[in-house]
Amino acid sequence: MNRRVRVAVLAGGRSSEHDISLASARSVLEALDPERYEAVSVAIGRDGRWELGPAASRQALVGAGGSPAETLPIPTETVPATLAAIDVVLPILHGPFGEDGTVQGLLELADVPYVGAGVAASALSMDKDLFKKVMRDSGVPVAKHVALRLGDAIENPFGYPVFVKPARLGSSVGITKVHDERELGPAVELAQQHDEKVLVEEFLAGMEVECGVLGNRVPPPIASLPGRIDTLDHEWYDYASKYDEGGMELVIPPELPQETIERVQQLSIDAFVASECEGMARVDFFVRDDGEVIVNELNTIPGFTATSVYAKLFEASGITYPELLDRLVQLALERHERKSQLRY
Ligand SMILES: Nc1ncnc2c1ncn2[C@@H]1O[C@H](COP(=O)(O)OP(=O)(O)O)[C@@H](O)[C@H]1O
Ligand SMILES: [Mg+2]
């Protein structure tokens, strides 16, 4: 392409991770080389309304200036009006209504190339219950869990401590480390405020390690160096540890034997392939003291500022943040081209 690539960055969104998404998107807009990219931003409000930003600037996402538009739920005339002129969309949206296949479905309907996992992989990876079931079937080790659906009696076959979490959320919102039976009921109630389905999950002691994955199916995706999450004085990797200044430290690579590091990298790719992800993902692990590696979850749109874990892991692996963006845009265009060959 000789002319500049026209990208639209989708940011904000309806989930509680709205603000984190705005921060990620601002970083992306700043890093896109203006010589090569013509960027617009679309800020999605917590009410689901879309606001088209004027240009590729930080300003575009801090409020002022955009023209409010209605949400784009179906491909009416407004879709071509806003998206048809775009070469590729970067949905930098975390959590429900962004990372869960909903926006991806809209972009499929509009036939616009977009960065990251498709509809099914997004929905699967967002759902900690379904994801673990598919991983078990694919030989990828995950924590034992039970899913409590609407109307189910509370059960905990795992003893204490145990983790209780909403099935489809992120940023540790609605999650409780339950220390004894008394805390179980309130923990389930809290999680149910965020999702009708709740997981009770065995406690996994050990090191928390995260690994980046980049690529499509062919050629095979690559894994970054992994990093260890040090939650410092936080008991677990809760919201404050994730987002407070100085709440965590990332140690790259983790202090683990080479074979364990390679196991983490291999399982990252296995989980990525088994969940049918494309583009990018960050795969999160527990490494037990005996060296056993267990997948916790896969994030299809991980925190994406220049200083987020995903970017730091690839930086340490020799791929800079602007280069990551270049590659992700290429991967999105390649996938769209590949799938346009299919006959439906
Ligand atoms: N089964 C578990 N055993 C030990 N710690 C857990 C377990 N599940 C979650 N945690 C802790 O809670 C954090 C958030 O849980 P996670 O399932 O990754 O949800 P989120 O999508 O909100 O990041 C983890 O990073 C970890 O610190
Ligand atoms: Mg997590």
Side-chain angles (χ1 to χ4, degrees), residues 43-173:
I44 303 177
R46 290 218 52 178
D47 60 357
R49 282 165 58 95
W50 291 37
E51 186 167 329
L52 192 60
S57 71
R58 277 182 83 95
Q59 275 346 93
L61 284 173
V62 291
S67 53
E70 289 305 321
T71 312
L72 306 176
I74 46 167
T76 63
E77 279 169 33
T78 43
V79 173
T82 50
L83 289 177
I86 292 297
D87 295 313
V88 59
V89 171
L90 281 83
I92 309 292
L93 298 161
H94 309 305
F97 316 112
E99 194 174 346
D100 61 353
T102 50
V103 164
Q104 290 73 15
L106 180 76
L107 297 171
E108 293 282 351
L109 282 174
D111 197 24
V112 187
Y114 59 93
V115 165
V119 175
S122 299
L124 178 75
S125 306
M126 190 75 227
D127 186 320
K128 296 181 200 311
D129 168 47
L130 297 182
F131 173 77
K132 279 199 257 285
K133 287 171 176 162
V134 169
M135 290 304 113
R136 283 186 199 117
D137 195 57
S138 307
V140 174
V142 288
K144 296 190 184 78
H145 83 286
V146 290
L148 307 179
R149 296 191 181 79
L150 211 55
D152 287 350
I154 297 179
E155 59 161 323
N156 169 23
F158 306 119
Y160 295 93
V162 73
F163 266 82
V164 172
K165 50 180 91 166
R168 297 154 286 211
L169 203 61
S171 287
S172 299
V173 174

Side-chain angles (χ1 to χ4, degrees), residues 128 165 172 201-202 204 208 236-237 242 296-297:
K128 296 181 200 311
K165 50 180 91 166
S172 299
E201 197 176 294
E202 70 167 318
L204 291 173
E208 278 196 64
W236 53 282
Y237 199 21
K242 282 179 180 169
N296 173 27
E297 60 161 346

Side-chain angles (χ1 to χ4, degrees), residues 227-240:
R228 172 173 72 85
I229 305 292
D230 188 337
T231 60
L232 305 170
D233 54 350
H234 299 263
E235 186 184 356
W236 53 282
Y237 199 21
D238 59 8
Y239 189 91

